[in-house]
């Protein structure tokens, strides 16, 4: 196993950081790694917000389901799917571009998340831990105000970085499913009830499948944050479905 693959296997989310700061050189290296990521048509359909204002980090920690560790991170990046920049480029050339649509948004989200993962891999190679914060999709109105997000710009994900504590280094990485559970050959294949239950053998902490799944369903799928995330996503989509940019 080479160093890159070994790093991918070893990497896990870091939510507790030491007080050690990230050097300017390493910050720039991590950010430049993002720019090396694949991007649709070389358009770089994203904008990275480098959150250096501590008050903003603290506000983000509150808006993202009160996760205090966000404010303690040594580096915080918000990756915005940006369908506004090329709209502006076209208008600057005297063109009359159509409004960005849902397909443009999804393409930009792909670009943003691919770039984000490059920063994760780069940071890991430097001994710097990271954690994705999907909750940045929530509280759309407050996020727009806090981050100055105009129409056609959507916060696809946030990442926080810092040096992991020994406890974070030593804790066990959550076990992944087997390839056969995730990979379908050529076409999508629904799983039988028995196949689904087999996927979770040994993963339910001693509870039976139904009991464990009901608890997970309540904690994740039917949670307040999931409901708010969907509400906020509908709010962001209004930009792409109804609002005109001037």
């Amino acid at each position: 196993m080479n160093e890159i693959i070994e790093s991918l296997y070893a990497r896990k989310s870091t939510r507790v950081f030491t007080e050690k700061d990230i050097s300017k050189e390493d910050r720039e290296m991590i950010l430049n790694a993002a720019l090396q990521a694949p991007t649709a048509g070389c358009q770089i359909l994203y904008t990275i917000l480098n959150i250096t204002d501590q008050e903003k980090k603290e506000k983000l920690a509150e808006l993202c389901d009160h996760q205090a560790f966000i404010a303690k991170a040594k580096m915080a990046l918000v990756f915005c799917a940006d369908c506004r920049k090329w709209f502006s480029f076209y208008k600057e050339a005297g063109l009359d571009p159509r409004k960005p649509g849902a397909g443009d948004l999804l393409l930009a989200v792909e670009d943003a998340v691919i770039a984000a993962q490059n920063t994760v891999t780069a940071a890991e190679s430097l001994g710097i831990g990271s954690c994705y914060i999907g909750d940045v999709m929530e509280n759309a109105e407050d996020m727009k105000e806090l981050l100055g997000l105009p129409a056609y710009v959507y916060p696809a994900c946030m990442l926080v970085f810092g040096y992991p504590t020994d406890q974070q280094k030593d804790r066990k990485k959550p076990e992944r499913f087997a390839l056969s559970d995730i990979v379908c050959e050529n076409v999508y294949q629904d799983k039988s009830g028995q196949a689904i239950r087999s996927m979770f053998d040994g993963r339910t902490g001693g509870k039976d499948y139904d009991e464990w799944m009901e608890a997970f369903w309540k904690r994740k799928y039917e949670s307040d944050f999931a409901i708010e995330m969907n509400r906020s996503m509908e709010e962001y989509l209004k930009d792409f479905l109804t609002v005109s940019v001037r």
Side-chain angles (χ1 to χ4, degrees):
M1 189 181 295
N2 65 40
E3 288 184 7
I4 293 175
I5 294 176
E6 186 175 345
S7 175
L8 294 175
Y9 274 64
R11 188 264 169 195
K12 53 184 179 285
S13 294
T14 299
R15 295 181 176 85
V16 186
F17 307 107
T18 70
E19 292 300 315
K20 183 180 178 181
D21 203 359
I22 300 172
S23 70
K24 180 176 182 292
E25 293 74 19
D26 284 350
R27 289 170 186 267
E28 290 183 356
M29 197 174 300
I30 290 168
L31 285 166
N32 274 306
L35 300 185
Q36 309 312 311
T39 169
C42 210
Q43 296 174 87
I44 310 180
L45 296 169
Y46 59 86
T47 291
I48 304 171
L49 306 182
N50 183 15
I51 309 299
T52 59
D53 185 299
Q54 184 60 32
E55 288 187 9
K56 282 190 184 293
K57 282 168 60 176
E58 290 170 3
K59 183 65 174 176
L60 283 166
E62 285 301 306
L63 290 175
C64 295
D65 285 337
H66 314 291
Q67 298 185 82
F69 76 92
I70 293 171
K72 297 177 181 179
K74 296 302 181 181
M75 183 176 181
L77 304 176
V78 178
F79 288 78
C80 296
D82 189 349
C83 296
R84 187 180 183 88
K85 66 166 74 173
W86 282 89
F87 189 93
S88 300
F89 296 167
Y90 297 139
K91 289 179 75 70
E92 175 64 22
L95 303 172
D96 185 22
R98 61 171 174 78
K99 295 196 307 178
D104 300 299
L105 171 60
L106 290 177
L107 194 64
V109 168
E110 289 180 5
D111 263 18
V113 174
I114 294 168
Q117 184 59 22
N118 258 31
T119 67
V120 167
T121 304
E124 188 72 14
S125 75
L126 298 169
I128 298 167
S130 60
C131 185
Y132 275 101
I133 309 294
D135 302 290
V136 76
M137 293 188 286
E138 299 174 35
N139 298 302
E141 296 82 359
D142 290 333
M143 284 295 180
K144 285 181 178 181
E145 181 178 357
L146 179 68
L147 302 176
L149 302 178
Y152 303 136
V153 179
Y154 157 69
C157 69
M158 179 164 71
L159 275 162
V160 293
F161 301 85
Y163 289 93
T165 62
D166 288 340
Q167 181 273 335
Q168 291 285 287
K169 290 178 184 177
D170 295 340
R171 72 180 181 83
K172 188 177 184 296
K173 179 174 180 173
E175 188 178 352
R176 279 14 185 191
F177 286 108
L179 281 179
S180 58
D181 293 329
I182 304 300
V183 179
C184 297
E185 188 168 353
N186 295 320
V187 296
Y188 188 90
Q189 299 163 13
D190 269 323
K191 298 189 183 301
S192 67
Q194 182 55 51
I196 291 171
R197 290 173 182 273
S198 293
M199 284 179 65
F200 288 87
D201 284 348
R203 297 174 179 272
T204 59
K207 296 180 179 179
D208 67 33
Y209 171 83
D210 293 339
E211 181 184 6
W212 186 91
M213 192 56 70
E214 181 177 3
F216 191 86
W217 168 69
K218 289 178 179 177
R219 182 164 60 91
K220 292 288 187 179
Y221 196 73
E222 298 292 345
S223 65
D224 289 342
F225 78 78
I227 292 169
E228 168 55 28
M229 182 174 61
N230 280 288
R231 186 205 68 81
S232 283
M233 193 65 237
E234 290 171 2
E235 180 66 25
Y236 284 117
L237 280 172
K238 289 178 183 177
D239 287 346
F240 295 86
L241 302 177
T242 61
V243 177
S244 295
V245 171
R246 289 184 175 83

